[in-house]
Amino acid sequence: PVAIVERAQRHFRKAHFCNTYGASEAFWMTRYDEPRPPGAKSELPIGEPYGAFKLSLLDRQGREVDAGETGEICVEGPVLLDSYWRDPEATRAARLNGNPNSFRTGDLARRDGAGNLVFLGRRDLQVKVRGHRFELEEIEQVLAECPGVTAAAASAIEEGAAAEIRAAVVCGSREGLADRIGNYCAQKLPRFARPARLIFLEALPRLPSGKIDRLAIHRLLV
């Protein structure tokens, strides 16, 4: 968050701040040097690629997206993963047209007015409901902001020929919470993105890495 960077800059007046982006498969791909103060922007860019890398933003058909549009971050360069351990299928899927020096990150981004990349989330969390594409994380953020909710996870569930959003929430007291969530989401989310069903959990299931176990969440919501 920009506000945290502003606070840190006030406390560490001689420090230089930069925002870097990378993955286990391609470490430190981009860098953004943060000015003082950050300026009137709502999000920190991840900047431009280091000289060793060529980055492109591609749509689902593998075409470069237009300026300002969302695309998957794809990288080419000499310092990338060799392969996924004993998983040739995943290795092939991660390549661009079979190029061994390439990697599809699965991350989404767009370019801002200055040409810097702005990170938008994971491709596998982007869903399509009633013809609209959006990020599950956008719904989860709204749910987590609702008074009484401490954590949330959402999933798109197929219902016949359509899909609907369902969500799991962690809370203290459940009394009246479903109505509060419904009213809050009605103010913050378009109709197609509002959860059609809620379940209440004591804690979200998580993987050994600490990340949300999205497969487990999906199974609970079906």
Side-chain angles (χ1 to χ4, degrees):
V2 176
I4 292 179
V5 176
E6 291 176 330
R7 287 178 56 194
Q9 288 182 340
R10 289 197 298 270
H11 285 285
F12 302 98
R13 298 184 181 276
K14 295 183 179 181
H16 176 78
F17 288 80
C18 65
N19 194 19
T20 61
Y21 160 80
S24 299
E25 295 89 344
F27 187 64
W28 272 18
M29 289 180 276
T30 71
R31 172 183 175 133
Y32 177 74
D33 292 298
E34 187 59 49
R36 284 179 174 269
K41 54 178 177 283
S42 60
E43 53 198 352
L44 294 180
I46 57 174
E48 286 291 321
Y50 284 96
F53 295 113
K54 174 189 174 184
L55 262 65
S56 53
L57 298 181
L58 305 182
D59 63 16
R60 290 177 180 269
Q61 287 72 46
R63 300 171 300 200
E64 187 84 26
V65 301
D66 294 331
E69 292 187 353
T70 299
E72 180 184 4
I73 301 175
C74 297
V75 58
E76 298 174 73
V79 192
L80 301 174
L81 82 162
D82 177 64
S83 63
Y84 289 108
W85 178 248
R86 294 182 177 176
D87 198 339
E89 183 177 345
T91 301
R92 284 192 297 271
R95 303 301 190 200
L96 286 172
N97 301 318
N99 176 7
N101 293 319
S102 65
F103 172 57
R104 297 178 179 270
T105 67
D107 292 334
L108 300 174
R110 62 173 175 80
R111 290 193 182 274
D112 64 14
N116 291 302
L117 292 171
V118 178
F119 180 79
L120 299 175
R122 290 288 300 168
R123 183 186 62 187
D124 49 17
L125 294 181
Q126 187 183 79
V127 296
K128 187 175 183 179
V129 176
R130 301 178 193 173
H132 301 274
R133 288 195 182 277
F134 60 96
E135 300 291 326
L136 289 174
E137 289 175 322
E138 297 178 47
I139 301 171
E140 293 168 351
Q141 181 176 346
V142 169
L143 289 169
E145 292 171 352
C146 181
V149 176
T150 57
S155 187
I157 307 298
E158 296 293 332
E159 280 291 314
E164 68 178 22
I165 298 300
R166 299 178 185 177
V169 298
V170 178
C171 59
S173 172
R174 301 182 187 179
E175 186 176 354
L177 185 58
D179 288 338
R180 289 204 304 275
I181 290 175
N183 292 334
Y184 192 78
C185 288
Q187 300 174 41
K188 301 287 186 178
L189 293 170
R191 186 178 299 276
F192 63 82
R194 299 170 196 168
R197 178 189 169 197
L198 297 171
I199 62 171
F200 299 96
L201 303 175
E202 293 185 358
L204 296 179
R206 295 188 179 273
L207 299 168
S209 64
K211 296 180 180 179
I212 295 173
D213 188 339
R214 297 213 171 253
L215 180 58
I217 290 291
H218 187 86
R219 288 170 175 166
L220 289 172
L221 292 171
V222 171

mmCIF file of all heavy atoms in Angstrom, residues 9 11-12 34-35 39 41 43 47 81 90 98-99 108 123 161 163 165-166 168 173 177 179-180 189 197 214-215:
data_model
loop_
_atom_site.group_PDB
_atom_site.id
_atom_site.type_symbol
_atom_site.label_atom_id
_atom_site.label_comp_id
_atom_site.label_asym_id
_atom_site.label_seq_id
_atom_site.Cartn_x
_atom_site.Cartn_y
_atom_site.Cartn_z
ATOM 1 N N GLN A 9 9.000 6.187 4.433
ATOM 2 C CA GLN A 9 9.888 7.243 3.942
ATOM 3 C C GLN A 9 10.055 8.356 4.964
ATOM 4 O O GLN A 9 11.138 8.943 5.077
ATOM 5 C CB GLN A 9 9.354 7.797 2.620
ATOM 6 C CG GLN A 9 9.520 6.851 1.445
ATOM 7 C CD GLN A 9 9.027 7.458 0.146
ATOM 8 O OE1 GLN A 9 8.254 8.407 0.135
ATOM 9 N NE2 GLN A 9 9.468 6.899 -0.972
ATOM 10 N N HIS A 11 10.023 7.932 8.199
ATOM 11 C CA HIS A 11 10.862 7.419 9.294
ATOM 12 C C HIS A 11 12.307 7.188 8.857
ATOM 13 O O HIS A 11 13.230 7.357 9.657
ATOM 14 C CB HIS A 11 10.276 6.115 9.838
ATOM 15 C CG HIS A 11 9.056 6.307 10.686
ATOM 16 N ND1 HIS A 11 9.123 6.797 11.977
ATOM 17 C CD2 HIS A 11 7.749 6.099 10.422
ATOM 18 C CE1 HIS A 11 7.901 6.863 12.473
ATOM 19 N NE2 HIS A 11 7.050 6.446 11.556
ATOM 20 N N PHE A 12 12.498 6.790 7.610
ATOM 21 C CA PHE A 12 13.841 6.496 7.104
ATOM 22 C C PHE A 12 14.159 7.490 5.994
ATOM 23 O O PHE A 12 14.043 7.193 4.808
ATOM 24 C CB PHE A 12 13.915 5.051 6.599
ATOM 25 C CG PHE A 12 13.572 4.028 7.647
ATOM 26 C CD1 PHE A 12 12.297 3.491 7.710
ATOM 27 C CD2 PHE A 12 14.519 3.638 8.567
ATOM 28 C CE1 PHE A 12 11.973 2.564 8.676
ATOM 29 C CE2 PHE A 12 14.207 2.696 9.544
ATOM 30 C CZ PHE A 12 12.931 2.160 9.606
ATOM 31 N N GLU A 34 11.102 4.112 -6.189
ATOM 32 C CA GLU A 34 10.021 4.918 -5.636
ATOM 33 C C GLU A 34 10.470 6.348 -5.359
ATOM 34 O O GLU A 34 11.447 6.568 -4.641
ATOM 35 C CB GLU A 34 9.526 4.283 -4.323
ATOM 36 C CG GLU A 34 8.304 4.936 -3.733
ATOM 37 C CD GLU A 34 7.142 4.897 -4.706
ATOM 38 O OE1 GLU A 34 6.852 3.830 -5.268
ATOM 39 O OE2 GLU A 34 6.541 5.961 -4.901
ATOM 40 N N PRO A 35 9.792 7.350 -5.940
ATOM 41 C CA PRO A 35 10.157 8.747 -5.670
ATOM 42 C C PRO A 35 9.723 9.164 -4.273
ATOM 43 O O PRO A 35 8.967 8.460 -3.601
ATOM 44 C CB PRO A 35 9.374 9.517 -6.740
ATOM 45 C CG PRO A 35 8.186 8.649 -7.022
ATOM 46 C CD PRO A 35 8.670 7.234 -6.875
ATOM 47 N N GLY A 39 3.679 10.284 -4.468
ATOM 48 C CA GLY A 39 2.793 11.005 -5.378
ATOM 49 C C GLY A 39 1.362 10.525 -5.281
ATOM 50 O O GLY A 39 1.040 9.619 -4.496
ATOM 51 N N LYS A 41 -0.842 8.434 -6.361
ATOM 52 C CA LYS A 41 -1.227 7.198 -7.035
ATOM 53 C C LYS A 41 -1.746 6.214 -6.000
ATOM 54 O O LYS A 41 -1.350 6.241 -4.833
ATOM 55 C CB LYS A 41 -0.058 6.599 -7.819
ATOM 56 C CG LYS A 41 1.226 6.357 -7.044
ATOM 57 C CD LYS A 41 2.248 5.718 -7.981
ATOM 58 C CE LYS A 41 3.591 5.516 -7.298
ATOM 59 N NZ LYS A 41 4.373 6.746 -7.192
ATOM 60 N N GLU A 43 -1.619 2.825 -6.241
ATOM 61 C CA GLU A 43 -0.914 1.553 -6.197
ATOM 62 C C GLU A 43 0.517 1.736 -6.673
ATOM 63 O O GLU A 43 0.812 2.631 -7.465
ATOM 64 C CB GLU A 43 -1.633 0.518 -7.074
ATOM 65 C CG GLU A 43 -1.872 1.005 -8.498
ATOM 66 C CD GLU A 43 -2.921 0.200 -9.228
ATOM 67 O OE1 GLU A 43 -3.360 -0.828 -8.694
ATOM 68 O OE2 GLU A 43 -3.306 0.604 -10.328
ATOM 69 N N GLY A 47 7.275 -1.611 -12.075
ATOM 70 C CA GLY A 47 8.331 -1.025 -12.873
ATOM 71 C C GLY A 47 8.581 -1.657 -14.217
ATOM 72 O O GLY A 47 7.686 -2.170 -14.879
ATOM 73 N N LEU A 81 13.955 -20.721 -15.056
ATOM 74 C CA LEU A 81 13.956 -22.113 -14.624
ATOM 75 C C LEU A 81 14.350 -23.040 -15.769
ATOM 76 O O LEU A 81 14.060 -22.776 -16.937
ATOM 77 C CB LEU A 81 12.577 -22.504 -14.113
ATOM 78 C CG LEU A 81 11.493 -22.906 -15.125
ATOM 79 C CD1 LEU A 81 10.389 -23.654 -14.417
ATOM 80 C CD2 LEU A 81 10.943 -21.721 -15.889
ATOM 81 N N ALA A 90 4.022 -29.671 -17.138
ATOM 82 C CA ALA A 90 4.004 -28.311 -16.585
ATOM 83 C C ALA A 90 5.107 -27.462 -17.202
ATOM 84 O O ALA A 90 4.920 -26.264 -17.440
ATOM 85 C CB ALA A 90 4.169 -28.362 -15.064
ATOM 86 N N GLY A 98 7.311 -23.039 -27.122
ATOM 87 C CA GLY A 98 8.385 -24.002 -27.004
ATOM 88 C C GLY A 98 9.753 -23.417 -26.729
ATOM 89 O O GLY A 98 10.745 -24.154 -26.644
ATOM 90 N N ASN A 99 9.858 -22.107 -26.578
ATOM 91 C CA ASN A 99 11.149 -21.458 -26.313
ATOM 92 C C ASN A 99 11.649 -21.842 -24.920
ATOM 93 O O ASN A 99 11.007 -21.498 -23.917
ATOM 94 C CB ASN A 99 10.982 -19.943 -26.429
ATOM 95 C CG ASN A 99 12.255 -19.186 -26.083
ATOM 96 O OD1 ASN A 99 13.314 -19.775 -25.867
ATOM 97 N ND2 ASN A 99 12.152 -17.864 -26.024
ATOM 98 N N LEU A 108 -1.019 -11.385 -13.744
ATOM 99 C CA LEU A 108 -1.636 -10.387 -14.610
ATOM 100 C C LEU A 108 -1.113 -8.998 -14.286
ATOM 101 O O LEU A 108 -0.815 -8.685 -13.129
ATOM 102 C CB LEU A 108 -3.158 -10.407 -14.443
ATOM 103 C CG LEU A 108 -3.845 -11.728 -14.786
ATOM 104 C CD1 LEU A 108 -5.328 -11.648 -14.445
ATOM 105 C CD2 LEU A 108 -3.650 -12.084 -16.246
ATOM 106 N N ARG A 123 -3.644 -15.051 -12.733
ATOM 107 C CA ARG A 123 -4.550 -15.435 -13.808
ATOM 108 C C ARG A 123 -5.541 -16.491 -13.352
ATOM 109 O O ARG A 123 -6.712 -16.468 -13.729
ATOM 110 C CB ARG A 123 -3.753 -15.968 -14.991
ATOM 111 C CG ARG A 123 -4.605 -16.335 -16.204
ATOM 112 C CD ARG A 123 -3.761 -16.996 -17.269
ATOM 113 N NE ARG A 123 -3.189 -18.235 -16.762
ATOM 114 C CZ ARG A 123 -2.290 -18.963 -17.416
ATOM 115 N NH1 ARG A 123 -1.834 -18.544 -18.567
ATOM 116 N NH2 ARG A 123 -1.821 -20.086 -16.913
ATOM 117 N N ALA A 161 -25.563 -24.054 -16.950
ATOM 118 C CA ALA A 161 -24.823 -23.376 -18.012
ATOM 119 C C ALA A 161 -24.173 -22.093 -17.535
ATOM 120 O O ALA A 161 -23.462 -21.441 -18.284
ATOM 121 C CB ALA A 161 -25.778 -23.066 -19.177
ATOM 122 N N ALA A 163 -22.435 -19.678 -14.012
ATOM 123 C CA ALA A 163 -21.595 -19.789 -12.818
ATOM 124 C C ALA A 163 -22.059 -18.750 -11.821
ATOM 125 O O ALA A 163 -22.607 -17.709 -12.194
ATOM 126 C CB ALA A 163 -20.125 -19.572 -13.169
ATOM 127 N N ILE A 165 -20.970 -16.901 -7.799
ATOM 128 C CA ILE A 165 -19.939 -16.713 -6.787
ATOM 129 C C ILE A 165 -20.446 -17.218 -5.446
ATOM 130 O O ILE A 165 -21.571 -16.912 -5.034
ATOM 131 C CB ILE A 165 -19.557 -15.223 -6.671
ATOM 132 C CG1 ILE A 165 -18.977 -14.723 -7.991
ATOM 133 C CG2 ILE A 165 -18.544 -15.018 -5.540
ATOM 134 C CD1 ILE A 165 -17.723 -15.447 -8.444
ATOM 135 N N ARG A 166 -19.619 -17.999 -4.781
ATOM 136 C CA ARG A 166 -19.883 -18.430 -3.416
ATOM 137 C C ARG A 166 -18.641 -18.112 -2.589
ATOM 138 O O ARG A 166 -17.542 -18.009 -3.137
ATOM 139 C CB ARG A 166 -20.215 -19.923 -3.352
ATOM 140 C CG ARG A 166 -21.465 -20.300 -4.139
ATOM 141 C CD ARG A 166 -21.726 -21.795 -4.094
ATOM 142 N NE ARG A 166 -22.856 -22.157 -4.958
ATOM 143 C CZ ARG A 166 -23.260 -23.408 -5.153
ATOM 144 N NH1 ARG A 166 -22.626 -24.410 -4.552
ATOM 145 N NH2 ARG A 166 -24.281 -23.651 -5.948
ATOM 146 N N ALA A 168 -16.519 -18.402 1.445
ATOM 147 C CA ALA A 168 -16.326 -18.861 2.818
ATOM 148 C C ALA A 168 -15.768 -17.702 3.627
ATOM 149 O O ALA A 168 -14.846 -17.023 3.167
ATOM 150 C CB ALA A 168 -15.363 -20.051 2.859
ATOM 151 N N SER A 173 -18.756 -13.662 15.695
ATOM 152 C CA SER A 173 -20.168 -13.987 15.861
ATOM 153 C C SER A 173 -20.854 -14.012 14.509
ATOM 154 O O SER A 173 -20.642 -13.137 13.666
ATOM 155 C CB SER A 173 -20.837 -12.950 16.763
ATOM 156 O OG SER A 173 -22.236 -13.138 16.779
ATOM 157 N N LEU A 177 -24.774 -11.632 10.579
ATOM 158 C CA LEU A 177 -23.643 -11.351 9.700
ATOM 159 C C LEU A 177 -24.002 -11.528 8.224
ATOM 160 O O LEU A 177 -23.552 -10.750 7.378
ATOM 161 C CB LEU A 177 -22.458 -12.247 10.065
ATOM 162 C CG LEU A 177 -21.163 -11.982 9.290
ATOM 163 C CD1 LEU A 177 -20.704 -10.539 9.474
ATOM 164 C CD2 LEU A 177 -20.056 -12.940 9.729
ATOM 165 N N ASP A 179 -26.755 -10.933 6.688
ATOM 166 C CA ASP A 179 -27.442 -9.735 6.192
ATOM 167 C C ASP A 179 -26.473 -8.573 6.036
ATOM 168 O O ASP A 179 -26.538 -7.818 5.051
ATOM 169 C CB ASP A 179 -28.570 -9.343 7.147
ATOM 170 C CG ASP A 179 -29.745 -10.319 7.080
ATOM 171 O OD1 ASP A 179 -29.872 -11.011 6.051
ATOM 172 O OD2 ASP A 179 -30.506 -10.388 8.058
ATOM 173 N N ARG A 180 -25.554 -8.422 6.995
ATOM 174 C CA ARG A 180 -24.570 -7.331 6.910
ATOM 175 C C ARG A 180 -23.679 -7.501 5.691
ATOM 176 O O ARG A 180 -23.375 -6.535 4.982
ATOM 177 C CB ARG A 180 -23.729 -7.267 8.187
ATOM 178 C CG ARG A 180 -24.460 -6.773 9.408
ATOM 179 C CD ARG A 180 -23.513 -6.185 10.450
ATOM 180 N NE ARG A 180 -22.480 -7.119 10.855
ATOM 181 C CZ ARG A 180 -22.632 -8.039 11.816
ATOM 182 N NH1 ARG A 180 -23.805 -8.157 12.446
ATOM 183 N NH2 ARG A 180 -21.638 -8.832 12.157
ATOM 184 N N LEU A 189 -20.007 -4.088 -4.702
ATOM 185 C CA LEU A 189 -19.777 -4.997 -5.821
ATOM 186 C C LEU A 189 -20.943 -4.967 -6.805
ATOM 187 O O LEU A 189 -22.098 -4.802 -6.392
ATOM 188 C CB LEU A 189 -19.603 -6.440 -5.318
ATOM 189 C CG LEU A 189 -18.367 -6.753 -4.488
ATOM 190 C CD1 LEU A 189 -18.489 -8.144 -3.871
ATOM 191 C CD2 LEU A 189 -17.099 -6.647 -5.319
ATOM 192 N N ARG A 197 -24.023 -17.510 -2.122
ATOM 193 C CA ARG A 197 -24.086 -18.403 -0.961
ATOM 194 C C ARG A 197 -22.869 -18.176 -0.092
ATOM 195 O O ARG A 197 -21.761 -17.961 -0.605
ATOM 196 C CB ARG A 197 -24.149 -19.864 -1.411
ATOM 197 C CG ARG A 197 -24.173 -20.869 -0.267
ATOM 198 C CD ARG A 197 -24.003 -22.283 -0.788
ATOM 199 N NE ARG A 197 -23.757 -23.218 0.290
ATOM 200 C CZ ARG A 197 -23.249 -24.444 0.148
ATOM 201 N NH1 ARG A 197 -22.945 -24.883 -1.060
ATOM 202 N NH2 ARG A 197 -23.040 -25.226 1.174
ATOM 203 N N ARG A 214 -7.138 -23.349 -2.122
ATOM 204 C CA ARG A 214 -8.297 -22.972 -2.924
ATOM 205 C C ARG A 214 -9.087 -24.189 -3.404
ATOM 206 O O ARG A 214 -10.305 -24.100 -3.587
ATOM 207 C CB ARG A 214 -7.862 -22.101 -4.098
ATOM 208 C CG ARG A 214 -7.246 -20.789 -3.612
ATOM 209 C CD ARG A 214 -7.511 -19.656 -4.535
ATOM 210 N NE ARG A 214 -7.091 -18.399 -3.907
ATOM 211 C CZ ARG A 214 -7.919 -17.485 -3.436
ATOM 212 N NH1 ARG A 214 -9.227 -17.679 -3.506
ATOM 213 N NH2 ARG A 214 -7.470 -16.368 -2.905
ATOM 214 N N LEU A 215 -8.428 -25.306 -3.605
ATOM 215 C CA LEU A 215 -9.149 -26.511 -3.989
ATOM 216 C C LEU A 215 -10.070 -26.963 -2.858
ATOM 217 O O LEU A 215 -11.227 -27.337 -3.094
ATOM 218 C CB LEU A 215 -8.168 -27.623 -4.364
ATOM 219 C CG LEU A 215 -8.791 -28.949 -4.795
ATOM 220 C CD1 LEU A 215 -9.720 -28.743 -6.009
ATOM 221 C CD2 LEU A 215 -7.703 -29.982 -5.127
#
